[in-house]
Amino acid sequence: MATVPHDRPGEQAEDVVVVEGLHKSFGQLEVLSGIDGRIRKGEVVCVIGPSGSGKSTLLRCVNMLEEPTAGRITVTGEEVTDPDCDLDAVRKGVGMVFQQFNLFPHLTALQNCTIAQKSVLGRSEKEARDVAQANLDKVGLGDRGHSYPAQLSGGQQQRVAIARALSMDPQLMLFDEPTSALDPELVGDVLSVMRRLAAEGMTMMVVTHEMAFARDVADRVLFMDGGVIVEEGPPSEVIGNPAHERTRTFLQRVLDPTHVDAGTEDAAHAERHRSGA
Ligand SMILES: Nc1ncnc2c1ncn2[C@@H]1O[C@H](COP(=O)(O)OP(=O)(O)OP(=O)(O)O)[C@@H](O)[C@H]1O
Ligand SMILES: [Mg+2]
């Protein structure tokens, strides 16, 4: 495992992600307006905030799926914003799970979990299958390895997506609203897999609207609004006793849906997710 060079003040070997002065614009629209933060090894950081606040963009910048306009990001000791960085090498160590499961439809669950192990990590078929099976067992789908995605429920597909990411032995897992496209009755199984991962010490950055999950599992919660981190701290503070009015307003809306004003972006967001769009 690469170590973080100790040539910068405040940077610790334990930091898996370090973000400094991150800005991101799409054309004239500034979506991230100066983000600083770090995630330490074994930490679970949940990112909450209204629709359009920049949560997904932040997550995507960490994996350089979006190129920052300014700022510096270090992931597992490598500066991914350095033009000379070998991004493919860094990404090998970062698992990403999206709202949409993005499984290969023509491959079985087991094959979905072995393909990158073989092509990216160079593992043999046998080793890849053993690792994949262990991870399917872990997400409670050990007996569904031969099923195709279309034969699985959304929650099962998402658990295969998690098993696939875990099969690469990631040092960091990024989740972007992994349960938002699921029917409510399927959310619990996915969240319990994530809870278990967190309990095992996986370093996780989770964009979520699941406040109960954030409250119970996060070591730290970041509340974003308008492209900045408005406040951050342990869930007991940010969710339990928020310091900022903007945080309180947001939490009122998500914790008590009757507060959702049908005209707001959040209502549209919730509706989009319900319809699976
Ligand atoms: N590729 C893009 N091109 C142009 N604008 C973009 C692009 N991606 C995101 N945006 C804009 O950036 C802003 C932040 O988007 P982002 O997806 O990061 O928000 P979010 O907090 O994840 O919202 P949600 O809760 O709806 O997922 C939005 O105004 C969005 O329209
Ligand atoms: Mg998003």
Side-chain angles (χ1 to χ4, degrees), residues 67-276:
E67 197 179 332
T69 312
R72 180 177 182 273
I73 302 175
T74 304
V75 177
T76 57
E78 304 296 329
E79 187 185 337
V80 293
T81 40
D82 180 340
D84 294 331
C85 179
D86 181 352
L87 286 179
D88 288 340
V90 178
R91 287 185 184 132
K92 279 183 200 172
V94 182
M96 188 139 189
V97 176
F98 301 92
Q99 185 180 325
Q100 298 303 335
F101 331 120
N102 301 323
L103 297 175
F104 293 114
H106 60 292
L107 298 181
T108 64
L110 196 74
Q111 289 166 338
N112 265 283
C113 295
T114 58
I115 185 165
Q117 292 190 65
K118 292 185 285 181
S119 64
V120 178
L121 301 181
R123 288 181 179 156
S124 69
E125 174 70 29
K126 164 86 173 73
E127 187 187 359
R129 287 178 81 94
D130 289 349
V131 171
Q133 185 61 49
N135 283 303
L136 287 171
D137 289 343
K138 188 171 190 167
V139 301
L141 294 171
D143 57 346
R144 301 305 301 269
H146 298 291
S147 301
Y148 287 87
Q151 299 169 318
L152 299 169
S153 73
Q156 289 170 332
Q157 290 182 54
Q158 191 59 301
R159 285 186 282 149
V160 172
I162 294 173
R164 175 178 61 178
L166 292 177
S167 294
M168 302 296 283
D169 298 332
Q171 292 170 257
L172 167 69
M173 286 285 286
L174 305 175
F175 292 89
D176 192 354
E177 301 201 39
T179 60
S180 293
L182 300 177
D183 291 336
E185 72 272 20
L186 303 176
V187 168
D189 288 339
V190 173
L191 291 181
S192 55
V193 165
M194 292 170 62
R195 281 172 194 265
R196 213 170 321 133
L197 264 188
E200 287 172 3
M202 177 62 74
T203 309
M204 294 164 59
M205 181 173 181
V206 185
V207 175
T208 187
H209 284 266
E210 296 287 341
M211 291 304 132
F213 177 85
R215 199 177 51 219
D216 297 348
V217 181
D219 296 300
R220 209 143 44 82
V221 174
L222 311 184
F223 171 68
M224 286 183 70
D225 197 7
V228 298
I229 297 172
V230 174
E231 71 177 287
E232 68 170 282
S236 57
E237 287 173 19
V238 177
I239 297 177
N241 187 22
H244 289 260
E245 184 56 38
R246 283 201 271 177
T247 319
R248 283 194 287 272
T249 306
F250 168 76
L251 287 169
Q252 252 172 12
R253 284 209 209 122
V254 291
L255 294 174
D256 179 0
T258 59
H259 269 82
V260 173
D261 160 1
T264 65
E265 254 199 279
D266 276 321
H269 176 266
E271 186 46 50
R272 230 172 29 245
H273 284 175
R274 264 194 298 280
S275 64

Side-chain angles (χ1 to χ4, degrees), residues 26 29 31 50-57 177 209 269 272:
F26 293 106
L29 178 69
V31 171
S51 183
S53 56
K55 306 179 299 293
S56 295
T57 305
E177 301 201 39
H209 284 266
H269 176 266
R272 230 172 29 245

